[in-house]
Every structure is written in structure tokens, then in C-alpha cells.
Amino acid sequence: MRIWQLEGQGKEHLRITEQPRPSPGPGQVLVRAEAVSLNYRDKAIVDGSYPARITFPIVPGSDVAGEVVSVGEGLMRFKVGDRVLSVFKQRWLDGVPNPEANASNLGWPLTGVLAEYVLLDEDGVLAYPAYLTAAQASTLPIAAVTAWVALFKHGQLKPQHTVLVQGTGGVSLFGLQLALAHGARVIAISRSEEKIQRIEQLGASAMINSSVMPNWEEAVRLLTSGEGVDQILEVVGGDSLRHSINAAAWGAHIAIIGFLEGKTSSISLPDLMMKSLKIHGFSVGSRKDTEELLSFLEVHRIEPVIDAVYDFVDLPDALDHLDRGPFGKIVVKLR
Ligand SMILES: NC(=O)c1ccc[n+]([C@@H]2O[C@H](COP(=O)([O-])OP(=O)(O)OC[C@H]3O[C@@H](n4cnc5c(N)ncnc54)[C@H](OP(=O)(O)O)[C@@H]3O)[C@@H](O)[C@H]2O)c1
């Protein structure tokens, strides 16, 4: 079978190589990959900005959907032909995360999914709703689960909430779709006028161009009669957190998700205290979170936004697209 291997830091060290197709042991399933979606994480692992010491070679890629083609001895939960997706943290089933759960991320430190066949633990896969294609299902394990956990688990989303999403990447567009489906109002920020037009078509209640309005919290306050927003998906990081604190309503929840702009931030502690803000950092979600997300998606028939689909051999082009800033998700298809 063909796999993508990263043999050193940088895109120029990506190679397609041949490896024998693995066989599932007890408690494992072999999945024939149909689609792999890319995340900012994959780009960061390839270019060296990911905050971990990586030892090469690795197989990159974390999110896969495909078909079960063989199962290990005694396995009852899945059968050949089942259509499944991967759970990002293979050994985080439920509850609070722990070091073992964190050490079970697909694509590093566990071997990744950019391969024609992927061997996974039965606990690390879930059947996906029949209304989704494999390409759509592959977009869910990191980006959609993260948006779900931010809004519903930590943020306790209510239909009367106003949610702010930053940028138009994978996590943010899932945040927009999930919040709208729950009846909330969504304000979206983007640096691109063209993407602002596209986000309006997805139903955003208001859009702000942050290139034109770097102090975008002023526009947020105008749009919310001076109150601010109830939830913020903070994917930009760095100085953006300061703007988010200014844009937050009293008692608001700010989900610390990303570091597109910077990994450190200087913020006003009195503002946090005075406004009673909840700032919550976390990393993706558990298998249970993924199951809850899948049920919600099925009820609301939410279709993930896929910006582009690339052939397996064109992974470097797909990563370039990710570098330019996607509108939703980038998918690599294998069949
Ligand atoms: N904590 C977690 O569990 C978790 C899970 C998933 C992702 N993340 C992190 O969250 C962030 C977003 O991930 P993603 O997968 O959604 O990314 P993505 O799909 O690559 O999307 C990034 C989008 O953000 C905007 N953007 C890019 N650079 C920016 C910058 N410097 N300042 C402002 N906006 C910028 C762009 O939108 P516009 O062009 O519209 O502005 C771009 O399309 C990343 O840092 C990622 O590592 C964390």
C-alpha cells in the first residue's frame, strides 16, 4: 500500500512510499481510507511550528474516513463493510483528559492516516451518519469535535447566545454551523472580503473584516447593543485574546483553541475578574464528545464545508492551500 511519509522538517521531505498492508490484531480494525481531511496541525507538523519534538520519519494526517475491510479476532462492534471515521485521541474515551489520552493523537505521536489502509483500535473508530459522504465524514474528528466541545460542553450554548467565530477555517465554520443549528446568533470575523461574502451565504448574522477594522471589538459592541458576545472561539491567539476579552459580554465563555497569530498573550486580569469571564483551554475531545457531535449533526443534517478536494499524490498542493487559508476544510481523497 502507498503511504505518505515525512522524513524530516519541511514539505520537501514528504515522500510517497510502499509498505505492506497491515493485518488487524485482536481489538483492531483495518480501514481502507477513502478520504483524509487536513488540519492546521498537519501543516504545523510539516513546517516545524507544532509545539512538540518530533522524531522522523512519521506518517502525517489525523482525520480519516473509510470502510472496514477486515477485523481482528473476536471483534463484535464492527464488521467488514462498515463506514467509519477515526477518533483523534485514540485512547480518550470519556471524562477529563490525561497524559495517556494526549499521547494517543493520530498523526503524532501515533502514526498518521495518510495511507491507503489504516490500522486502528476498535475504540478509536465510530460509524458515521449515512447522510454524509466519506469526504464529509473525514472533516469531523478534529475541527468539528473542537467546535462542538467549545460551544456545547464548555460553553453550554443556549439559543439566545451570540457567538463570535474568527476566520473561516475548519474549526470556525463548524462553530458557525453548529451554533446556527442550535438557534444562536453568529458574528464572524475574516481578513478577506471575498470570504466574508461566502460566510454570509452560510447564514452568519453579521460579518466584520478584521483587515479593515483591526479593533473589531468596537464593531462587535455596536452589533450587540453594547453588550458583547456570549461565546468566542479564539483560534487566532496572541494579541487577539485581548480583543476577545474586550468583545466579551459579562459572564462570557472564551474557548482558547488556536495560536494562528501567536502562542503567548498579554491580557488584563482585572477585566477578566470584573466581567466574570470564563477562559477555557482544551485540546479537541473524547470519543464520547465525538459521538455526541455525530448525533447532533445527524439530527440537523449539517453538511461540512469543503473548500477543495485533492488527489492523494497532490498532498503538497493541499498543504499549500492550507497555508493560504482555507474556507472550511481541505480533503485528500484516496478513492
Ligand atoms: N485546541 C484544539 O483542540 C484545536 C483543534 C483544532 C484546531 N486548533 C487550532 O485552531 C487554529 C485554527 O485551526 P483550523 O484547523 O480551523 O485552521 P484552518 O482551517 O487552517 O483555518 C485558518 C483560518 O484562520 C484564519 N487565519 C489564518 N491565519 C490567521 C492569522 N494570523 N490571524 C487571523 N486569522 C487567521 C483564516 O481565515 P480568514 O482568511 O477568513 O481570516 C484561515 O482560513 C489553529 O491554530 C489550530 O492549531 C486547535
Side-chain angles (χ1 to χ4, degrees):
M1 67 166 185
R2 290 177 306 163
I3 61 166
W4 270 106
Q5 201 155 274
L6 182 64
E7 296 171 345
Q9 212 73 78
K11 232 175 289 178
E12 65 280 14
H13 295 293
L14 278 167
R15 308 230 187 297
I16 294 183
T17 61
E18 282 285 337
Q19 266 195 3
R21 190 201 294 192
S23 304
Q28 290 184 314
V29 294
L30 184 67
V31 176
R32 183 170 60 203
E34 290 181 29
V36 170
S37 88
L38 298 183
N39 291 283
Y40 187 83
R41 171 178 204 272
D42 301 314
K43 179 190 108 62
I45 285 175
V46 171
D47 72 19
S49 59
Y50 192 72
R53 191 185 297 269
I54 292 173
T55 45
F56 300 103
I58 63 160
V59 179
S62 305
D63 292 357
V64 63
E67 187 181 341
V68 174
V69 287
S70 60
V71 298
E73 216 180 286
L75 195 128
M76 308 289 283
R77 204 185 295 160
F78 295 99
K79 58 181 187 324
V80 170
D82 284 351
R83 306 182 67 72
V84 295
L85 51 70
S86 54
V87 177
F88 173 56
K89 290 181 187 285
Q90 288 278 292
R91 289 192 282 279
W92 183 16
L93 304 185
D94 193 8
V96 287
N98 53 56
E100 199 212 340
N102 243 15
S104 69
N105 297 345
L106 286 174
W108 182 261
L110 297 191
T111 195
V113 299
L114 273 158
E116 287 177 306
Y117 292 86
V118 181
L119 200 55
L120 296 167
D121 287 346
E122 64 172 323
D123 281 343
V125 292
L126 288 168
Y128 62 80
Y131 84 94
L132 293 170
T133 63
Q136 290 172 327
S138 78
T139 66
L140 305 174
I142 290 186
V145 172
T146 300
W148 167 266
V149 167
L151 291 170
F152 290 87
K153 190 173 173 182
H154 300 318
Q156 299 288 305
L157 184 68
K158 310 262 182 311
Q160 62 271 26
H161 278 176
T162 300
V163 174
L164 183 123
V165 296
Q166 301 175 332
T168 50
V171 174
S172 303
L173 289 198
F174 275 121
L176 171 112
Q177 291 179 295
L178 295 172
L180 288 177
H182 200 59
R185 180 175 177 229
V186 179
I187 299 175
I189 301 177
S190 171
R191 302 161 307 163
S192 144
E193 200 52 46
E194 182 255 329
K195 287 180 178 173
I196 281 179
Q197 312 286 327
R198 289 167 79 185
I199 209 165
E200 186 170 22
Q201 285 160 18
L202 289 177
S205 323
M207 288 78 55
I208 303 166
N209 186 333
S210 56
S211 315
V212 178
M213 269 206 102
N215 290 328
W216 45 263
E217 64 266 40
E218 290 165 14
V220 169
R221 279 200 294 267
L222 285 175
L223 289 162
T224 55
S225 314
E227 302 238 316
V229 290
D230 305 293
Q231 291 211 41
I232 299 175
L233 303 195
E234 177 57 72
V235 298
V236 176
D239 195 41
S240 171
L241 181 56
R242 193 174 52 79
H243 296 285
S244 286
I245 289 170
N246 293 337
W250 285 49
H253 180 262
I254 302 178
I256 302 294
I257 297 174
F259 47 82
L260 293 164
E261 184 78 41
K263 292 182 183 130
T264 58
S265 208
S266 173
I267 56 171
S268 157
L269 299 180
D271 284 352
L272 291 189
M273 293 180 243
M274 192 179 61
K275 288 169 88 175
S276 228
L277 299 182
K278 299 178 275 286
I279 297 197
H280 200 138
F282 66 95
S283 170
V284 194
S286 64
R287 177 195 158 93
K288 172 96 179 306
D289 298 321
T290 311
E291 284 174 314
E292 288 175 2
L293 163 78
L294 294 178
S295 305
F296 184 88
L297 292 176
E298 186 152 29
V299 168
H300 294 278
R301 286 288 197 273
I302 293 174
E303 304 236 345
V305 178
I306 296 178
D307 197 10
V309 179
Y310 288 84
D311 287 333
F312 185 67
V313 293
D314 294 328
L315 175 66
D317 294 340
L319 287 165
D320 284 344
H321 190 152
L322 207 60
D323 252 341
R324 293 193 297 274
F327 186 83
K329 296 294 295 179
I330 306 290
V331 170
V332 172
K333 76 171 163 48
L334 289 101
R335 54 188 57 248

